[in-house]
Structure formats: C-alpha cells, structure tokens
C-alpha cells in the first residue's frame, strides 16, 4: 500500500500489545498482516468457553485445555507471517518483569479495561515517550437491565498530548478495588454484571482494533494528521463518532513538564507497579527504541500539539 519504504519501516517496528482477548487478538492479527518486525504480547489469562465468540484464532479445544491466550496469539501470528519475532509474556502488566518488556518497543496497544493496566501503561508511555492507543468496547445497562448504550472507545495516548489521568480515565477508587486479582478480572466484564456471560462483541472489537491499528500505520508512514490523535467514541446503534475534547493538566505528574513530573525520564521514573518478587523474564529486554522512523514521524505531530 505504501511501497517498499513503508513496508521496510514496518519491518523495523517493535510493537507491544497488552491484553489478548477480543480486541488484542484482532490487533495481533492485523499487525501480522501488516508485517511488523516484532510483537511483544502480554496476558496472564487462559481461553474459556465464553471467550470463543471473540478471540481470533481460539478453538473449543483451547478452551477445554485451558490454553493461554498468549499461546493462541503466538500461533495466529506465526501462521500469518513466521518472520515476525513474537515474544509471548505470560504475566500481568503491573509486575516489574513484565512492564520492563515494553520499555524498548516503538508503539503500544492497550486492549484491557482495568484501571490497573491503564495506570501502568500510561506511566510507561510518558516516562519512556512511547505512543499508545487504548481501545475498549462496552455495553451499558439501565437499572432495569435493558441496554442503554453500545459503544467503542479509541483513545490515542501520545507524549505531549495529555494522558489518561488528565482525561479522568483512571479512577483511584477503582485502582484500590482492583488490587485483588479477581477484581481485575471482573473489571473486564463487558456488561458489568458478575453473573452474566459476556455477549459476542466481535464486531465492536473489530472497529476498535482497525481504527487503532490504522492510526499506528498512518503515524509510521508519516501520513497521520492531528485529528487522528483525538479520543473518540463510536455509538454502534447510530453509527456515529463522538470526538472528545482533549485535556492536559499543566501539573500532571506523568505528562507535564512541571518540576517533579516523571515525563521523559525513562528508567529513572518510579512506575506504579505491584510489589511482587522479581521473576526472570522469558526473554531479554527489547533493544532501546529509535530503530524505526516512527518516532521521527510522531515528533512532527508532537511539535504541532
């Protein structure tokens, strides 16, 4: 689509994907078809029967055997393009040995909807200046259990343009509630009802994954415009997009240039990670960023922000 130079640029890219459920599995599939150089994929969960309606590449045998989602994603990517270096990380983004695997990538996709994952990923983005897009799909219910809204969220989080904290998308009370692992899992329930089996939202996930991956692609080849980096909500019932006004707190501890901020200080930033025993990582930490031209393309956008 973009010629030899564009394809070569994608081959030099290293991309991180946090969460390999419906949205994350689709992102991995699209990244594989685009032909990126490396994918670091993170998830601690296994495939379950009710996941099969949305996880690309998962089978009923995977659900019966409790196969890890990272293994399903590895298998999917290898089938599409065996030249891609795929690093499966079976773990939680809030653990240091897992978070460190993202600090050398060129781009991050966040495809979970817990406050904990948002908090940690947002910190990595702004301390290490790595662009990210968070996606999510949600069905809101009224008290009568009737559907009130069905929507998809696509939230680019680029250095210099505010962060998830500034946008009010990281609730400190929810962060505290999610300290228990079971609470984190419940937070990813599409309907928000603990006893309800999640409906098929593969069409919603497909919209979010495609918009997010396209945003990365346009950025990588230098065609992205400023409006592409706006936070947007897609109303699936009406087929309309709502663009949200960006927010940037001049005193934010993560994304502002104020004194004491952790913006751009790299490994010197104290990330909001769990106090767990350090585990050996399954692979060496990715090489420092800068190998691809993506950051040069994005630098022009940052200056115009």
């Amino acid at each position: 689509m973009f010629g030899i130079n564009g394809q070569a640029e994608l081959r030099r890219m290293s991309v991180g994907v946090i969460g390999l459920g419906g949205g994350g599995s689709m992102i991995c599939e699209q990244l594989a078809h685009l032909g990126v150089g490396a994918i670091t994929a993170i998830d601690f969960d296994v495939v379950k029967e009710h996941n099969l309606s949305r996880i690309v590449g998962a089978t009923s045998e995977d659900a019966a055997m409790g196969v890890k989602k990272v293994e399903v994603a590895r298998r999917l990517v290898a089938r599409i393009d065996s030249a891609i270096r795929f690093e499966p990380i079976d773990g939680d983004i809030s653990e240091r040995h897992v978070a460190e695997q993202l600090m050398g990538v060129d781009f991050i996709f966040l495809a979970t909807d817990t406050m904990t994952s948002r908090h940690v990923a947002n910190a990595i983005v702004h301390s290490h200046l790595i662009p990210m897009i968070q996606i999510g799909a949600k069905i809101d219910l009224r008290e009568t259990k009737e559907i009130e809204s069905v929507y998809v969220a696509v939230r680019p989080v680029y250095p210099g343009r505010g962060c998830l904290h500034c946008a009010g998308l990281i609730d400190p009370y929810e962060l505290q509630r999610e300290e228990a692992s079971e609470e984190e899992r419940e937070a990813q329930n599409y309907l928000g009802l603990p006893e309800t089996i999640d409906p098929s939202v593969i069409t919603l996930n497909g919209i979010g994954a495609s918009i997010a991956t396209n945003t990365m692609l346009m950025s990588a080849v230098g065609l992205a415009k400023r409006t592409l980096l706006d936070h947007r909500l897609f109303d699936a019932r009406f087929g309309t997009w709502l663009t949200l006004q960006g927010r940037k707190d001049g005193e934010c501890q993560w994304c502002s240039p104020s004194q004491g901020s952790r913006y751009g200080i790299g490994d010197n930033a104290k990330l909001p990670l769990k106090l767990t025993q350090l585990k050996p990582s399954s692979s060496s930490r990715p090489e420092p960023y800068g190998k691809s031209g993506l950051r040069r393309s994005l630098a022009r956008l940052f200056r115009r922000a």
Side-chain angles (χ1 to χ4, degrees):
M1 177 178 180
F2 300 103
I4 296 175
N5 291 337
Q7 190 60 49
E9 185 60 47
L10 290 170
R11 273 299 183 198
R12 287 192 290 269
M13 286 188 62
S14 175
V15 182
V17 181
I18 307 169
L20 299 173
S25 65
M26 285 189 169
I27 288 172
C28 281
E29 180 184 40
Q30 293 188 25
L31 291 173
H33 281 295
L34 285 175
V36 299
I39 300 173
T40 298
I42 298 171
D43 202 303
F44 57 79
D45 210 355
V46 299
V47 176
K48 301 181 180 68
E49 189 69 29
H50 68 271
N51 298 149
L52 296 178
S53 64
R54 57 183 176 270
I55 298 181
V56 178
T59 67
S60 56
E61 289 77 13
D62 293 329
M65 297 177 64
V67 174
K68 288 284 187 176
K69 292 179 182 178
V70 290
E71 171 57 24
V72 173
R74 183 205 62 76
R75 191 175 64 203
L76 174 68
V77 170
R79 186 164 63 243
I80 297 170
D81 187 345
S82 60
I84 294 174
R85 180 168 60 86
F86 188 88
E87 297 289 348
I89 309 295
D90 177 10
D92 188 327
I93 184 59
S94 64
E95 297 173 331
R96 179 168 298 279
H97 73 285
V98 177
E100 286 180 342
Q101 301 305 305
L102 289 178
M103 295 176 187
V105 302
D106 294 301
F107 204 98
I108 296 173
F109 292 96
L110 176 59
T112 72
D113 200 32
T114 68
M115 292 297 156
T116 301
S117 59
R118 288 185 189 182
H119 190 37
V120 175
N122 186 75
I124 294 173
V125 165
H126 295 287
S127 60
H128 288 77
L129 305 183
I130 305 170
M132 177 181 80
I133 299 179
Q134 186 249 331
I135 67 168
K138 193 70 175 178
I139 301 174
D140 286 335
L141 301 180
R142 299 187 180 95
E143 292 183 0
T144 59
K145 309 307 180 188
E146 296 176 332
I147 292 177
E148 181 173 20
S149 61
V150 181
Y151 63 91
V152 178
V154 181
R155 303 182 179 107
V157 187
Y158 281 40
R161 290 183 60 87
C163 71
L164 294 179
H165 276 284
C166 293
L169 295 167
I170 301 177
D171 187 330
Y173 297 103
E174 287 295 309
L175 272 176
Q176 185 175 12
R177 187 180 71 84
E178 287 178 8
E179 287 183 356
S181 60
E182 188 59 33
E183 294 289 350
E184 290 186 15
R185 294 170 190 268
E186 288 181 6
Q188 298 187 64
N189 185 299
Y190 285 96
L191 285 172
L193 298 175
E195 302 302 325
T196 302
I197 297 299
D198 291 340
S200 176
V201 290
I202 191 168
T203 55
L204 303 181
N205 289 330
I207 293 169
S210 294
I211 295 297
T213 309
N214 183 67
T215 300
M216 183 213 75
L217 176 61
M218 293 298 104
S219 300
V221 298
L223 295 178
K225 304 300 181 182
R226 282 186 61 187
T227 53
L228 194 61
L229 307 187
D230 291 334
H231 289 196
R232 285 167 287 167
L233 298 179
F234 176 74
D235 189 319
R237 298 173 305 161
F238 297 96
T240 56
W241 284 96
L242 173 65
T243 299
L244 305 179
Q245 185 173 0
R247 300 178 186 175
K248 186 175 180 181
D249 182 354
E251 299 298 322
C252 178
Q253 65 171 321
W254 293 110
C255 70
S256 76
S258 63
Q259 186 176 4
S261 169
R262 305 176 206 183
Y263 182 76
I265 65 175
D267 290 342
N268 291 322
K270 184 178 180 181
L271 299 179
L273 303 172
K274 289 181 178 178
L275 298 176
T276 55
Q277 184 176 359
L278 184 64
K279 301 177 184 178
S281 59
S282 60
S283 62
S284 59
R285 179 171 166 177
E287 295 180 16
Y289 62 74
K291 293 178 62 179
S292 78
L294 174 61
R295 293 171 186 274
R296 294 191 296 274
S297 298
L298 292 176
R300 295 191 291 271
L301 290 172
F302 298 163
R303 286 194 293 270
R304 294 198 301 266

